[in-house]
Amino acid sequence: MAELLERFGCTHVVVRGIPSSLATEALRMSPAEVDLQKARQEHAEYVEVMRSKLGLEVIELPSDEAMPDCVFVEDAAVVCGATALITRPGSESRRPETKAMKEALKKLGLTIVEMTDENATLDGGDVLFTGQEFFVGLSKRTNQKGAEILADAFKDYAVSTVAVEEGLHLKSFCSMGGPGLILIGSSDHAQKALKIMQQMSDHRYDKLTVPDDLAANCIYMNLPDKGHVLLHSTADMFPESVKVLEKLKDYTLIPVSNLEKMKVDGALTCCSVLINKKADI
Amino acid sequence: MVNTTLRVEGSDLSAVRAFKNTVRQQLETRFKLDSDDLPSSIPVVACMLDPCFKHLKFIPDSKRERAYSHLDTLLLRVSETLSVTNVGVETCETEQTGKDIGKKARLELDFAELFGTHFESGQNTARGSTATEEARQYFLLPQIPTLDNPLQCQNKYSEVERKAPSVGVAMTTEAGTETEVKEKAEESAALADQSEQATEETQEVVTAEGEKREKEGKGISRYLPTWLKKQKSQTQTSPTKDVPPSEEAVDKETEKVPEVNGHAEEVEEEQEQKKDAEKSEQVKEKEELPEVDAKEQSEPVKEEKVEKSEEKSAEEETKAVAEGDKTEEETKETTEAPVEEKDTQTSLFQSPLRLVRKNKMKLVVCHVTLLDGTDYTCEVEKRVKGQYLFFKVCEHLNLMEKDYFGLTYKDTHDHKCWLDPTKEIKRQIRSNNWKFSVNVKFYPPDPSLLTEDLTRYLLCLQLREDVASGKLPCSFVTHALLGSYSLQAELGDYETEQPKPLDYMSQLKFAPSQNKDMEEKILELHKSHRGLTPAQADAQFLENAKKLSMYGVDMHHAKDSEGVDITLGVCANGLLVYKDKLRINRFAWPKILKISYKRNNFYIKIRPGETEQFESTVGFKLQNHRSAKRLWKVCVENHSFFRLNAPEPPNKTRFLTLGSKFRYSGRTQAQTRVASTLIDRPAPNFERTSSKRISRSLDGAPMISITDTSAGENGREPHLELNSDSKVDLSPGDDEAATSQSPGASEAAPSQSSVHGDNIYVRHSNLMLEDHDKTQDEVLKHQASISELKRSFMEAPPPSPPQPNLWEKRLTSSPATTIRVQPQPVVTVSQTETSPVEIVISEPKEPVKTAEVEIEETVVVQEVSKTTKPVIVTVEKVPIEPVVKIEEAMTFAEEEKQCKQSVSSESESEEEAEYHPNAHATLSHTQIPEEKEEEEKVVVVEVVEEVKEEEEEDQVKNDTPVDLPATQEPPPAESRQELVETDQAGTQTKDNAEEKPPAVLEKDESVDEPMVTPDEAPNGLPLGDDAEQEEPKVNGQHMETALRPQVICCTEPPVVKTEMVTISDTFAAQKTEIATKEVPIVHTETKTITYEAAQLEGNGDAEPGVLMTAQTITSESLCTTTTTHITKTLKGGLSETRIEKRIVITGDCDIDHDEALAQAIKEAKEQHPDMRRIDSQRAEVAMASADNH
């Protein structure tokens, strides 16, 4: 258990600024108007929580106007232990985002694995690392080949694929809420995906179902002096879901507003890449 | 005694009466107390050789003296021959003497074991002395006491088995000697004369007997020998133990006892006869049937022949008869070491010879590659079972927690296969390449639970190899970490003063692709492990290794229903499906209802999900049927090991297993854990070998990806051998490494295998077209689509914690239906078709004669619960072990059958099999012992039908071979100890209705339909020991398999129809699942086996065909088993087909036998209208019921 907790440890976090192009050019599943200012403010709060509240070392990459979605760094890399897989995002417009990410992670001393296969696509948002294994959502953005390369990069772990029938990413309706705890939305497709995950796994997972799919996307960390930490969406966004999350005992719950980014399908996890340098052997 | 037991009573049914009379007649014929020849008669000699009766208390003193002196004479002769040479061993080894020698050797070994046991209770000190001395000693010892408890027999047996190695070795010398002797005997006229004399003496008696039998009618003659034997065993007990040698007892005893003894061991005379027989063999032309093994089963056939063929000499007859008498012994022998190669030419002569314990043992040198890469060489007798070698290796390794390990060999296609411990090695390896490897068979999910560091160390060695070869994939960091622990374990703390140069590191193999970075990382990490002891380092290694997702996953290449390449991984938790490196599905064991394979298809039947109504079946296509079977076996074993408390009890498997009898027979994880906790010895010292040796062997090895290696491979075999060649090249300087590699180097190139496989596959697919192919595909597709739809989630329970079972109700009654259809097509196909695999493997020369073998087996077991795991184990401890053994025996017997038929190893012969994974078996099994009070009654109905094809009607006899209703007779305690101990398969009857002779009813052949006369079965008799409820069943089944007449070959497709007899849906309906101990066994079992092999090989590897279907339905109080067994025999131009149906009804409480039987027969008749017709022509019906308790 101790070791498992360690896998949720975090020392460094990589984030990226919001370009002005986000409001208009960033990809989104459904049309929505984004208040750029508000979005930037939210993001600043988000980073600040990481930095001061949680005491993490924040590496903030500069935004790039040519990459409207660049704030969603999660999709550009998957980091597990000392290995970082630089992805090949499913949407072509986002592929340049990986360059800066790769440089940053390299500087952190991680072992870099690149996804060079032309046929492979993978968004980090489709990758759910449970601490014991990977689940990769096969979505519009991620294909089998991408998942294979991920499996190759993280050979220690089982990598199972899960079909994502609705929503952008696998993590659009789920995330880890702790070691062995999966937060899951209550929609049918979310529940179905969970069942598949449970069936495919040799491990046992508890689930915590929240009414709203998007509220199921939280950031869990286990920090040395703080124990269980969960960043979640605010109560005004998902009041019912937050009530559910509040049942978690011994958790430090930190609500983070994510309203504007949500409009461009940006969930909480999307905006950061967590790195645990201590896990680096 | 005899008079008492065989007294005809008014209440007896006619058949019973007839039987009793016959038995008495027989006994009186054989043991004429007033005859002058008595002392030198075979029965008496045999009695002397039986530790139960050696003191001959049943005959007058004067005659006893004469008998002893007669024996002395005989022994003298033997010892002469024995002393002729002691070089025999070498001779034996080098000369690839004929198979008959091998057989004799085996017999002799058995003989030796018997003697060893009797002499110093298992210690073979007398080995070196002459036969005469041994005999003297023998007579000084008290008679063998009776064993009250069947379990004791089991234990005793296991002891013997344990000691077997030494015995075997010790006897080798003798055997060799004997061989030589024989050869010389042939040359020397003097010897020959002597033996002839002896033979003649006995001949008279036997011949008379044989004639008598003939007159008695077919039905009786078939049955009697067996029955008599059984009977004797029962009665024997009393004479020796219960009844003091009073004169009054003499009469009665005499009648029976001699008979018994006659069966038991006529060692000396037999030996003489052998010599004789050998001579005659050479001289005479044998037009005998294709060789049937010297089993009980074969006996009937031989007898028939004797009767039929006028030309045969008296000698021959004698032998044939003698053979019959020896059935019991034979059983033992066969069980222990089934006769393998047969001479097709000689049946009559050979078998007697075999019976005689003239063993010329052939020793074979086995090279076993240990986990540390070193080679362990040992000699074993050629016919030993896998277990023997494995135990030997474990002994060498000082390994106690051995259940996680196994031996592998490479088959002819260069696939690594697990050596089945219950089968003869020789039969499995199918080549003269006696090379094996020790491998981890079951990777303990939590190595920290292992008791001994030694075990962990060995596991580490395996894992290092797995990791280095790429079979167990892991990341860079993990490679480095594991490597560093390996260094720490082997080298100790990192020496800062004298750091190992990097090029030293590069000589070690840590990963399939290893670079300087990794080596540096390893060294760096090594530094951090300062202070860890080797054991701690190993433990850390394992802690990290066990977390790897592919830890303990056995990979098999396959295609899904759409032809997409996938990989199936079998592990402790279930079956994993991978596409490339991704897991795309997973079937936890609890979710799997049935595992089966058919040809190259592998199926799993999935329990319906929460929302689903029906179970679905998912099918996969393997490269060929061997792969399918390998996968199936691995599944069966893994499920059994990790999920069951105890191996599936024998009663579920026994006869059905004829086809794919395969079940895991070892200890389960639960059992082995308990056993581990009982290990009470100081931690063994062992030396950790430098990994340099190992790793180097891997150097330069082709990189093996998961898929590559695992495909078609059975287990996690180390790739040492594969790599060895290259390694030698790479590091020529290392002598050690080179040495260890050498065995591997000589092995065939791995690349060939795939080619082979392809060929086979193609051929096979052709075959398939004729048969099930179409339907299969359809089914496959259909099922696949269904399964596609139903990926409902099913929570997989954690591996270790006990889980309540929800499935109980899931007992499949359905399989029965399915099964029913299949046997027929199979039969037809089998005769004409050829199994390519077999040809390729075993008999490349004669492709023409091949047989297609089809086996279907469905076993449904209920999983009641695993909750009581610890409890069960504790309670059952005693019972379990015996049970396991029984199972082995059963398997063995079956195997033997196959062997006789010279069917290639099961792996080749079986085309399909099913397995229903569940945990219930264990429970029911365990419960059984506790229900001592309940009596079981077994009713056996047999319908034997012989269909003869082709000419030579004159020769063909309607005589049905003697069937042993062995089931019914509990051997007398005393004889049991002797016989049962040594005899694995043989008389497993543990029940002892000591005082109750089983009643046997005989039917005339003229009877149209099977008449069932329920035995009076006086159940009220006191049970001497704790009769176990199960035992009767076990025995019954066992008998069925072991004693059945053997199948031979057929040239033409015989008109054989096999049908399934379904008895009692009613019973099935009654089944309830109650896990309480008071409740009788509740389970339903349905099995169908179709097994077919028809092949006649001139070289003695005849492939007999057996077709069998069986069904067992068990309700709370009744267990009904129906077996259909088809035997085909080809002698010359004559082909015989026999269809036997046996219905066994077993109950734990009083059952109305008549009613049950009548019902069973009625149903059988309904289903077999054809059968009846045939019956009228030449079927024999015999029924017997006995009280087992």
Side-chain angles (χ1 to χ4, degrees), chain B residues 956-972:
Chain B
V956 181
K957 215 354 259 109
N958 295 334
D959 254 2
T960 24
V962 183
D963 277 356
L964 289 187
T967 343
Q968 279 79 355
E969 294 99 322

Side-chain angles (χ1 to χ4, degrees), chain A residues 265-279:
Chain A
D265 310 312
L268 284 179
T269 58
C270 294
C271 303
S272 58
V273 171
L274 306 184
I275 295 144
N276 187 10
K277 281 289 278 180
K278 281 178 191 162

